[in-house]
Amino acid sequence: MTTDRESVDEAFEPYEPKRRVPLPVYWVAIALALWGALTLLRDSSADRTGAKQRIAEATTLERRQTATGSALFAERCATCHQADGTGVDGAIPPLAGSPFVGASPGVIVQILLHGIEGPISVNGSDFDGHMPAFGSVLDDDQLARLATSVRGTWGPGGSISPGFVATERARTAQRTSPWHGGDEIATTLDRTIGVQPAYLPAPRSPDDLTAQSIASIGKAGGWSCASCHGSHGEGRDGVPRLAGLSPDYIARQLLAFTDGSRPNDIMRPVAQQLTAADRVALGRLFASLATPSSSHPALEGDVARGAELALQGDDRRNLPSCFSCHGPSGFGVSPNIPSIAAQRPSYTAGRLAALARLTSRQPGSIMPAIAGRLSDADRRAVADYLATLPPSPATSSKDAR
Amino acid sequence: MNDRKQQPATDEGARDQIHGRVARTSIYALTGGVLLFVFAVLVRDEFHFRGQESAPPEASGPLSFTPPPMSKIPDGPAGTSIRHGMAIFENTGTEAKPFVGNQLACRSCHLDAGRKADSAPMWAAWVSYPQYRAKNKKMNTMEDRLNGCFSYSMNAQGSPSGGPPPKGDPIYADLEAYFHWLASNAPTGAKLKGAGFLKLKLPQSGYDRDRGRAVYAQHCASCHGDDGQGRTDINGRQVFPPLWGPRSYNWGAGMAQLNNAAGFIKANMPLGAGNTLTDQQAWDAAAWIDSQERPKDPRQKGTVAENVVAFHSGEKTFYGKTVDGHLLGSGTEVPVQASRR
């Protein structure tokens, strides 16, 4: 047998080369080789462009930190007060000619640090709105430059130093709510402003003890909301901020987690424990929290590009600006459009990716289609930009009014 | 390819033959390999980048044009006028407060601050005036046109001054400065791609307000509200504009004609998802919106029926029709100022 096989082998061997390697095998081999070479090349160039991009980002970040007061105004205030400071009739007071801008410098700094809500009278018109607090998203330097620029353009001028802002910050460090209308400003900070409409504190919604206990201790041995979302609803990496979201939106999302229309393995078991009344009460509770923002850009996104997407959109990709739906500061529009301001960037980017995946399953639904048109870099860019915004104001008083 | 053993390679000719074959094989292999590679790359790109392709707006004319970016607005007095024109366009109720009698802004219908193709963009309008218009049967300058926009789309009859800006008001000059800048380097006289609103043919089965009600509930109500009154943000600012009722455009407006509304809706609504509705859905939604009451036609002297003859003959509109026992065109109460908080 052995010899047989050897002889067979011997007889066979000379023929082997005759069966030439078929051409397609060469094709595939060469194609693969080219592919490999290209990938290698690309990776290294991607590495290089990646590094370039990071340098560019670092410079933009640097530039943003040193942005002039007027640039800060254009980016932070113009969506509401308008580029020319005229405000919006019936909704946002003007800065041009305003006694608050004209008052002593402490006034504007305090308004910027804590925000202001409730009745206010400016240039003979009454307003009753919510201005967000910038104290947690702008540092003393930025606030000083901003305030100097606003007072230079529409007020008496003069320079406000970072040290002055720091003193003002320290002076009201204990404050946890926005200023209560023009009246509180006029009576506690600067009487030259004159008489302002009275602030009538909204009747507090009855403290909902059940909601508070679910939020901080949890329901029947289940997880507390605080264990993931933070004790003030501030969120953390990958877990969304809840403070200041609209109450209806929170309640509806909790229902969506329960019935699976928003599939999520983490929230589902938590939400399933809740009754309809719990959902409503929890919505009201988190909506009423005026928690400062602790979000920061964290995804190395191009923040300038993010600002462009949020404020102007991108015609070439058929993307309307985020704010044309989410409201001029990203605070949302009740009841269907959620707040996206000051949200955790990892959550925002992840959620956008998840929404994009829904595009095929829910054709015609709006946000999935828009998320689907964002590239990965754009998702990171816009998520990082949104993290720099002031948080949407708490809504308890507004609801009652 | 080392065929030495097998081939009786004894003479020159045979070796040449072998070399020839080797060369041929290598050429075939190389060409095939490269082709395969190119093909694979193409396939990959097709799938990889397909999702990222933006849906370009439908072409409606021969020349395409892109207006300059906002950041290119010049400094100096010209820039100031352009910026103010843009501010009027976006924040009409504040910047032109005496002449605005509703909660709309120019940008409500001319999207992206008048830049978006197929929403009657201002760069295209600029290069097509002066122009003869059947609406008032004369040559119209841009100022005449804008006067009409204030009278009808902005319902100036309900404004503090009770009418549009008077002839020669700087509002016109600033708006025109903005349009002129938007049209920087646009060819004049030529028809530009994306000019005006989409011209949508009326489908076989016409339009129907009951079908429109269903389209509206499914695709529009989440933003414009079940009652069509739009929505405001926490500061009471109009984010989604009202489509009918006392705070919307009046019966004299171009949008009150079904063909204009259908074309606008098809290309632009729901916002961010333009061109997803069928033509039929766009016409039906337009019919639902148009068959609701709104401020009266400011040109009306006598009865609605007389005004139909005077100004609305030949239009596709619900003006003057009776729906659910109500004569459309009668107008709404004018609580506009009161409702502007």
Side-chain angles (χ1 to χ4, degrees):
Chain A
M1 281 306 277
T2 332
T3 40
D4 256 11
R5 206 167 68 202
E6 262 163 23
S7 68
V8 168
D9 277 349
E10 249 156 88
F12 180 71
E13 204 182 343
Y15 288 90
E16 202 193 16
K18 209 174 188 173
R19 288 184 26 220
R20 275 176 288 137
V21 182
L23 266 181
V25 174
Y26 285 121
W27 294 348
V28 171
I30 292 177
L32 281 175
L34 281 172
W35 191 286
L38 187 84
T39 315
L40 265 178
L41 209 73
R42 250 206 217 146
D43 274 0
S44 66
S45 77
D47 248 12
R48 256 178 287 133
T49 39
K52 254 193 229 146
Q53 201 178 330
R54 275 194 292 278
I55 293 167
E57 274 157 18
T59 13
T60 1
L61 209 67
E62 178 70 19
R63 216 184 49 239
R64 293 170 55 78
Q65 232 99 63
T66 59
T68 61
S70 56
L72 282 167
F73 182 85
E75 201 179 294
R76 302 308 194 133
C77 320
T79 51
C80 287
H81 292 283
Q82 307 296 306
D84 56 0
T86 49
V88 176
D89 192 37
I92 315 273
L95 298 179
S98 157
F100 294 86
V101 178
S104 53
V107 168
I108 187 165
V109 171
Q110 285 298 340
I111 290 177
L112 288 173
L113 282 170
H114 299 289
I116 178 169
E117 61 150 27
I120 187 169
S121 174
V122 181
N123 302 351
S125 301
D126 287 351
F127 299 84
D128 186 356
H130 301 255
M131 156 140 169
F134 286 86
S136 58
V137 292
L138 296 179
D139 62 26
D140 294 348
D141 265 12
Q142 291 169 315
L143 286 172
R145 264 177 276 131
L146 185 54
T148 304
S149 161
V150 169
R151 289 181 95 243
T153 314
W154 293 291
S159 173
I160 293 176
S161 70
F164 178 78
V165 176
T167 319
E168 289 291 319
R169 202 192 272 274
R171 186 157 79 89
T172 52
Q174 295 308 310
R175 195 173 180 98
T176 55
S177 64
W179 291 98
H180 295 318
D183 190 44
E184 194 188 8
I185 300 272
T187 52
T188 62
L189 295 177
D190 189 341
R191 289 195 170 271
T192 65
I193 289 170
V195 181
Q196 283 284 315
Y199 181 85
L200 301 172
R204 273 182 65 86
S205 42
D207 276 346
D208 195 318
L209 296 176
T210 330
Q212 264 160 20
S213 113
I214 298 174
S216 55
I217 304 167
K219 187 161 183 169
W223 293 89
S224 72
C225 314
S227 61
C228 294
H229 292 279
S231 49
H232 304 283
E234 70 275 17
R236 60 176 162 78
D237 207 26
V239 184
R241 174 189 169 91
L242 299 180
L245 291 182
S246 115
D248 303 340
Y249 177 76
I250 296 177
R252 227 151 24 88
Q253 297 308 305
L254 289 172
L255 179 61
F257 287 128
T258 312
D259 66 19
S261 54
R262 179 172 169 180
N264 186 276
D265 292 341
I266 303 173
M267 273 307 293
R268 190 190 172 109
V270 184
Q272 273 173 338
Q273 291 187 304
L274 305 174
T275 64
D278 292 342
R279 291 194 288 265
V280 172
L282 283 164
R284 231 186 290 129
L285 174 69
F286 283 108
S288 72
L289 297 180
T291 309
S293 169
S294 46
S295 299
H296 300 285
L299 307 176
E300 303 194 341
D302 175 352
V303 180
R305 166 71 180 161
E308 180 182 81
L309 285 169
L311 297 165
Q312 289 165 27
D314 185 340
D315 333 352
R316 281 165 309 146
R317 290 183 174 229
N318 193 14
L319 282 168
S321 71
C322 310
F323 289 177
S324 60
C325 287
H326 286 276
S329 299
F331 295 166
V333 180
S334 199
N336 294 325
I337 317 267
S339 166
I340 49 175
Q343 192 49 278
R344 299 274 154 183
S346 52
Y347 169 72
T348 305
R351 180 91 176 107
L352 285 171
L355 283 164
R357 284 194 293 275
L358 287 178
T359 321
S360 50
R361 261 195 290 146
Q362 308 176 355
S365 51
I366 295 163
M367 197 55 217
I370 289 179
R373 276 177 237 142
L374 294 171
S375 66
D376 174 61
D378 278 350
R379 286 200 279 266
R380 287 185 291 117
V382 78
D384 270 355
Y385 169 72
L386 294 173
T388 69
L389 294 180
S392 65
T395 48
S396 54
S397 54
K398 180 192 73 231
D399 289 347
R401 243 186 239 122
Chain B
M1 268 163 273
N2 47 352
D3 300 354
R4 256 162 288 129
K5 219 184 214 169
Q6 177 249 336
Q7 293 298 337
T10 43
D11 63 68
E12 294 285 298
R15 223 183 350 256
D16 276 1
Q17 208 184 338
I18 292 161
H19 278 160
R21 201 170 63 216
V22 168
R24 225 175 20 251
T25 310
S26 346
I27 287 169
Y28 286 158
L30 209 65
T31 327
V34 170
L35 281 178
L36 189 65
F37 170 71
V38 168
F39 176 70
V41 168
L42 284 179
V43 167
R44 188 196 63 136
D45 285 0
E46 174 61 22
F47 284 99
H48 189 65
F49 293 115
R50 211 178 36 187
Q52 301 180 11
E53 213 81 63
S54 62
E58 239 84 301
S60 55
L63 284 175
S64 54
F65 174 74
T66 311
M70 306 293 187
S71 54
K72 290 271 157 43
I73 297 181
D75 290 325
T80 310
S81 181
I82 295 168
R83 280 201 188 83
H84 192 228
M86 184 167 114
I88 298 170
F89 203 86
E90 298 216 90
N91 191 11
T92 322
T94 307
E95 301 281 353
K97 181 172 176 174
F99 315 110
V100 174
N102 60 21
Q103 286 286 39
L104 304 187
C106 308
R107 62 166 283 179
S108 305
C109 303
H110 305 288
L111 304 187
D112 256 6
R115 304 164 64 90
K116 189 176 174 302
D118 293 327
S119 68
M122 292 303 125
W123 38 266
W126 178 253
V127 295
S128 59
Y129 279 80
Q131 188 185 80
Y132 179 83
R133 292 190 75 216
K135 196 164 184 168
N136 51 15
K137 303 192 182 56
K138 60 166 189 157
M139 272 313 269
N140 281 238
T141 60
M142 180 55 93
E143 179 165 326
D144 295 330
R145 184 68 180 91
L146 297 179
N147 183 288
C149 293
F150 276 101
S151 301
Y152 309 115
S153 293
M154 306 306 297
N155 191 34
Q157 59 184 344
S159 71
S161 80
K167 239 185 171 6
D169 193 284
I171 285 178
Y172 294 123
D174 288 344
L175 280 171
E176 289 176 25
Y178 175 52
F179 302 166
H180 174 79
W181 173 78
L182 280 177
S184 308
N185 303 325
T188 39
K191 177 126 175 60
L192 296 176
K193 215 185 249 186
F197 290 110
L198 220 55
K199 311 270 177 297
L200 214 58
K201 270 219 294 296
L202 186 62
Q204 209 97 71
S205 46
Y207 52 82
D208 181 282
R209 76 184 292 265
D210 290 320
R211 285 197 306 254
R213 183 206 310 258
V215 175
Y216 185 86
Q218 191 185 345
H219 296 284
C220 322
S222 64
C223 290
H224 292 287
D226 294 329
D227 57 0
Q229 297 313 292
R231 297 203 195 279
T232 55
D233 72 358
I234 48 167
N235 288 320
R237 217 171 139 178
Q238 201 79 43
V239 178
F240 303 123
L243 303 184
W244 64 79
R247 302 176 310 127
S248 190
Y249 53 92
N250 69 38
W251 279 112
M255 196 61 93
Q257 295 175 37
L258 284 159
N259 46 325
N260 284 332
F264 172 84
I265 292 166
K266 169 78 181 182
N268 300 298
M269 291 291 144
L271 190 72
N275 294 315
T276 56
L277 298 181
T278 62
D279 293 5
Q280 183 70 63
Q281 287 173 314
W283 276 95
D284 291 343
W288 175 248
I289 293 171
D290 203 49
S291 58
Q292 315 279 343
E293 195 52 274
R294 54 183 68 258
K296 71 183 190 41
D297 186 344
R299 295 166 298 189
Q300 181 185 342
K301 299 260 162 43
T303 62
V304 169
E306 285 162 2
N307 202 49
V308 169
V309 177
F311 293 108
H312 296 268
S313 57
E315 284 182 6
K316 282 199 180 56
T317 173
F318 277 84
Y319 185 76
K321 304 215 169 96
T322 299
V323 168
D324 295 341
H326 174 83
L327 174 64
L328 289 169
S330 315
T332 47
E333 297 293 312
V334 199
V336 172
Q337 289 312 306
S339 75
R340 288 180 77 89
R341 298 210 310 152

